[in-house]
Each structure stands twice: as C-alpha cells, then as structure tokens.
Amino acid sequence: MGCILKMIEPLLIRWRSFYYGLKFAKKGKRVRIQGKHFTVEGHVECGDYCRFRDYVIMRTHGEGKIIIGTHSLLSYYTYLESTCLIKIGSHTAIAEFTVIRDTNHVFWGTEEHFALTPHIAKPVIIGDNVLIGSRCYIHPGVEIGDGAIIGVGSVLAEDTKVGPFEVWAGVPARKIGHRTESAPPEKVLQSKELIEKYGIRKFRY
C-alpha cells in the first residue's frame, strides 16, 4: 500500500497544482501545491517555481492583492490576508503558522467596539531571500529588506522597518544583529567551515 501511495503522490501534486492553480489571478510555471487543503480567494499572483505546502490560506478583499515572486515557499498553516497589498519577493521562505495581515482595527483613542471602528490598511513589503521563522505575526505597514532573517515566534509591530540582511527577533521584534556586519566571530568561523566543506548549493529549478 505504501509503495502505491508513493507512486501516485507525484500525480496528486500535479493535479492539485493544476486545479488550485486555476484560482490564481496569475501563476508562473512549475508551481507546486503539495497540500490537499489549500485556499486561494481573491487576487493572488505568484511567479515561477513557487511551492505551497498543506493548509496554506491566501485571501484578499476588495482591492487587496497578494503578489509573490519566483521560487518562494509558504509552509504549513501560513495565513495571508490583504485588503491593500502584501508583496513577497523571490527566493523567500515563510515558515509554518506565520500570519501576515496588511489590515487591522482602529482601537487607540476610542471606547467603541473594535469590530465597529474603521480599518488601518498599509502595504506589507517583504524582499528577496528573506527567511521568516515559524509562528511569526506581521502587522500592517511592515517592510522587510532583502536577505533579512526573522526569528521564530516574532511579532513585527505596525510600520516596523527591517533593513537588508538584518536579524530581528522577539515580541515585539527588535534588531538583534546583522548577518555580516555584527556577526559573532564564532558563527562566522562556523559558516566558513560549513561553506568550505559543503559549498553553496544552486537552486533546483
């Protein structure tokens, strides 16, 4: 039975990629939708070679758009919701259980119920080659520069600006380092040893 499942799984992935791919406003070539539970609602675009795992939800409302570059990954249970714009660059990975929203309720300076107040909507822009760890929450107006790393369980508050190659973590998230400028010497040595031993892999297209 296990052998049969292994044989048909690639066919199932191809079928899911075709079927769910019809729901995209624009979809690149060789996009892989691996999970059988997958939701796309509204205007969602993705580039070539993107991968989506199980229980991914991408939803837009009104004029909202979700735009994803090439060769990016959304892992299990990631949730993206937009009424404005969520833009994710190329070669970027978003780990499991992460939530990204470009809209929030107004609640400061008012005693009204949050469900009755207007929404704050600001674009969320995530650059190329970014890694966002598991269980992160990204609020409206956040910008993340190319090559940045966001640590596991971080909360990026409204209008947070993460610079290129910076490392952020915490609740609320704050800058804890830079991948090259402030890297601990022992980590730099470890990185050099591993790169010398294994090299830099090429992307598998």
Side-chain angles (χ1 to χ4, degrees):
M1 187 65 179
C3 293
I4 295 174
L5 290 175
K6 286 183 180 180
M7 290 174 61
I8 66 172
E9 184 60 26
L11 297 176
L12 289 173
I13 291 174
R14 291 180 64 181
W15 165 248
R16 292 169 192 150
S17 300
F18 168 76
Y19 174 74
Y20 288 119
L22 298 175
K23 300 177 183 292
F24 284 81
K26 182 179 179 182
K27 181 179 75 71
K29 63 184 179 182
R30 296 184 67 179
V31 171
R32 293 183 62 195
I33 300 170
Q34 295 171 282
K36 59 183 178 180
H37 303 284
F38 183 80
T39 301
V40 173
E41 297 177 3
H43 188 106
V44 180
E45 303 178 18
C46 74
D48 300 338
Y49 304 102
C50 286
R51 287 186 294 153
F52 301 95
R53 290 184 171 151
D54 216 352
Y55 294 99
V56 169
I57 297 175
M58 295 182 287
R59 180 177 290 132
T60 71
H61 307 276
E63 299 299 314
K65 291 183 179 181
I66 296 171
I67 301 175
I68 303 170
T70 63
H71 209 285
S72 287
L73 165 70
L74 270 63
S75 193
Y76 303 98
Y77 292 94
T78 51
Y79 183 89
L80 280 62
E81 186 171 25
S82 171
T83 66
C84 182
L85 174 65
I86 296 173
K87 187 175 182 181
I88 298 169
S90 297
H91 303 282
T92 286
I94 300 174
E96 50 278 337
F97 297 101
T98 289
V99 175
I100 303 174
R101 279 194 169 105
D102 66 9
T103 305
N104 207 346
H105 295 278
V106 169
F107 57 86
W108 290 108
T110 176
E111 297 178 354
E112 298 296 334
H113 191 284
F114 67 86
L116 304 178
T117 60
H119 285 152
I120 300 168
K122 301 177 183 179
V124 174
I125 307 296
I126 300 172
D128 299 335
N129 307 312
V130 172
L131 173 60
I132 298 175
S134 305
R135 304 189 313 277
C136 290
Y137 195 108
I138 297 176
H139 283 82
V142 169
E143 295 182 13
I144 302 175
D146 295 345
I149 306 292
I150 309 300
V152 170
S154 299
V155 176
L156 274 68
E158 184 179 335
D159 297 328
T160 297
K161 311 299 182 190
V162 177
F165 299 101
E166 291 181 353
V167 181
W168 284 57
V171 181
R174 61 183 179 85
K175 181 181 176 182
I176 62 172
H178 189 281
R179 291 180 61 186
T180 58
E181 294 173 4
S182 62
E186 63 275 12
K187 292 295 184 183
V188 173
L189 179 60
Q190 181 188 50
S191 296
K192 287 182 177 179
E193 289 175 349
L194 288 170
I195 290 171
E196 287 176 3
K197 183 175 181 179
Y198 297 105
I200 303 294
R201 292 188 301 168
K202 294 183 179 180
F203 285 106
R204 293 177 295 173
Y205 289 101

